[in-house]
Amino acid sequence: MDLEKLSRRYRTLTRISAALLYAIAVSMALNFFWEPGGIYASGVTGAAQLMNTIVTRLGVGFLGTPFWLVALNLPLFVLAWRKIGHRFTLFTILAVVLSSLLLHFSPMRKLTVDPILCAIFGALFNGAGTGFALRSGISTGGLDILGIVLRKKTGKSVGSINIAFNALIILLSGFIYSWPHALYSALGIFINGRIIDMIYTQDQRLQVIIVTNHPRTVIAGIQEEMRRGITIMHDAEGAYRHEEKTVLLTVISQYELHDLTQVMHESDPHAFVSVTPTVRILGHYYEPKRE
């Protein structure tokens, strides 16, 4: 019981740290690069920037991007509470509130006037913060929540869903600001999505084919360490030595690839293992429940 409490406290501290790290990253991305360079961010953050631009031109600019960031996330908090998990939602609210506060109170600095550099480095900071937050079991709000919900139905990665939703942001930024800056924003959004996918690998599926002489040991290791279902194909034969083999088929996440490597090293280091990306999975696939 004590170990369980310690583990829970460790996860809580990790999520709080991830929320703070994300808040620092997004405030740097916006205040140092995107806002000074006229670059719009992805998702709800970009929508908050657009809303701030519109109301500023209408003479109501005192609200600011931080206000709209919280306001636009409110209905998504309700969606996360119902569809994902309560603790997950609470940490998401923490991440959004912290980022809004840091955006409001941290000074805006123009490190460069080059919009391309602003788009790239803003995306690097924001993508890294978002990816680390997702990997730590929390969301940064906005399209992250929609991405997680829709991923369960479509099988698409969070970064890809993020990019798909941002076509509207790019079009609106072109009409409201300028078309060159819309293209720079598109560059930043693309890089942001790729950085997220590089760091948050839990939703990237891999098909694993294992040819082994010790199927029982391998199966026990995978099911004990990774909790994955395995299909067993008996009576396979190696073409070189004509030895009887067993072929095992399973699907894991990119995040679990290191665990699979360790299991194979301990259970059958001489087994042949083929790992390939898989686009979509139909049927039951176990995913740990978010809390």
Side-chain angles (χ1 to χ4, degrees), residues 206-262:
L206 303 174
Q207 177 179 275
V208 181
I209 298 175
I210 303 169
V211 182
T212 177
N213 290 325
H214 306 284
R216 293 182 181 274
T217 307
V218 173
I219 292 170
I222 292 176
Q223 291 183 334
E224 181 179 343
E225 296 294 328
M226 303 164 60
R227 194 179 173 181
R228 289 296 170 199
I230 302 170
T231 298
I232 306 172
M233 292 177 276
H234 295 289
D235 301 324
E237 181 180 340
Y240 182 68
R241 295 183 178 178
H242 298 282
E243 295 178 341
E244 184 175 330
K245 304 279 186 179
T246 300
V247 179
L248 308 177
L249 175 65
T250 188
V251 176
I252 65 173
S253 68
Q254 178 76 33
Y255 186 71
E256 296 170 311
L257 185 57
H258 175 73
D259 294 334
L260 175 71
T261 304
Q262 290 295 111

Side-chain angles (χ1 to χ4, degrees), residues 8 10 13 38 87 93 96 109 149 188 200 205 249:
R8 195 176 185 86
Y10 173 77
L13 289 174
R87 285 174 59 83
I93 293 172
V96 172
R109 296 180 180 179
V149 173
Y200 180 59
R205 310 292 181 236
L249 175 65

Side-chain angles (χ1 to χ4, degrees), residues 103-117:
L103 278 172
H104 179 73
F105 290 108
S106 62
M108 187 175 295
R109 296 180 180 179
K110 185 179 289 187
L111 300 182
T112 177
V113 295
D114 189 327
I116 296 180
L117 291 179

Side-chain angles (χ1 to χ4, degrees), residues 107-227:
M108 187 175 295
R109 296 180 180 179
K110 185 179 289 187
L111 300 182
T112 177
V113 295
D114 189 327
I116 296 180
L117 291 179
C118 287
I120 292 173
F121 281 94
L124 290 176
F125 276 100
N126 187 77
T130 303
F132 182 74
L134 288 169
R135 186 166 181 169
S136 300
I138 67 173
S139 163
T140 58
L143 293 186
D144 297 341
I145 294 173
L146 288 177
I148 291 170
V149 173
L150 292 178
R151 175 172 56 84
K152 295 178 180 180
K153 297 183 178 180
T154 66
K156 298 294 184 181
S157 68
V158 170
S160 298
I161 292 172
N162 197 298
I163 291 173
F165 271 100
N166 285 304
L168 182 60
I169 298 292
I170 296 170
L171 290 174
L172 289 176
S173 66
F175 282 111
I176 295 173
Y177 200 93
S178 72
W179 288 110
H181 281 80
L183 296 177
Y184 300 141
S185 299
L187 173 64
I189 288 170
F190 177 80
I191 295 173
N192 184 72
R194 297 282 72 82
I195 295 296
I196 291 173
D197 281 345
M198 286 174 59
I199 298 174
Y200 180 59
T201 56
Q202 189 171 343
D203 66 333
Q204 298 174 24
R205 310 292 181 236
L206 303 174
Q207 177 179 275
V208 181
I209 298 175
I210 303 169
V211 182
T212 177
N213 290 325
H214 306 284
R216 293 182 181 274
T217 307
V218 173
I219 292 170
I222 292 176
Q223 291 183 334
E224 181 179 343
E225 296 294 328
M226 303 164 60
R227 194 179 173 181

Side-chain angles (χ1 to χ4, degrees), residues 261-274:
T261 304
Q262 290 295 111
V263 167
M264 294 308 304
H265 178 74
E266 295 171 2
S267 59
D268 186 2
H270 301 292
F272 175 81
V273 182
S274 173

Side-chain angles (χ1 to χ4, degrees), residues 4-34:
E4 185 178 344
K5 287 183 178 179
L6 287 174
S7 177
R8 195 176 185 86
R9 289 177 183 175
Y10 173 77
R11 291 197 301 270
T12 299
L13 289 174
T14 299
R15 291 175 178 179
I16 293 174
S17 301
L20 179 59
L21 179 62
Y22 165 73
I24 294 172
V26 72
S27 64
M28 293 179 66
L30 280 168
N31 287 346
F32 292 177
F33 299 104
W34 282 340

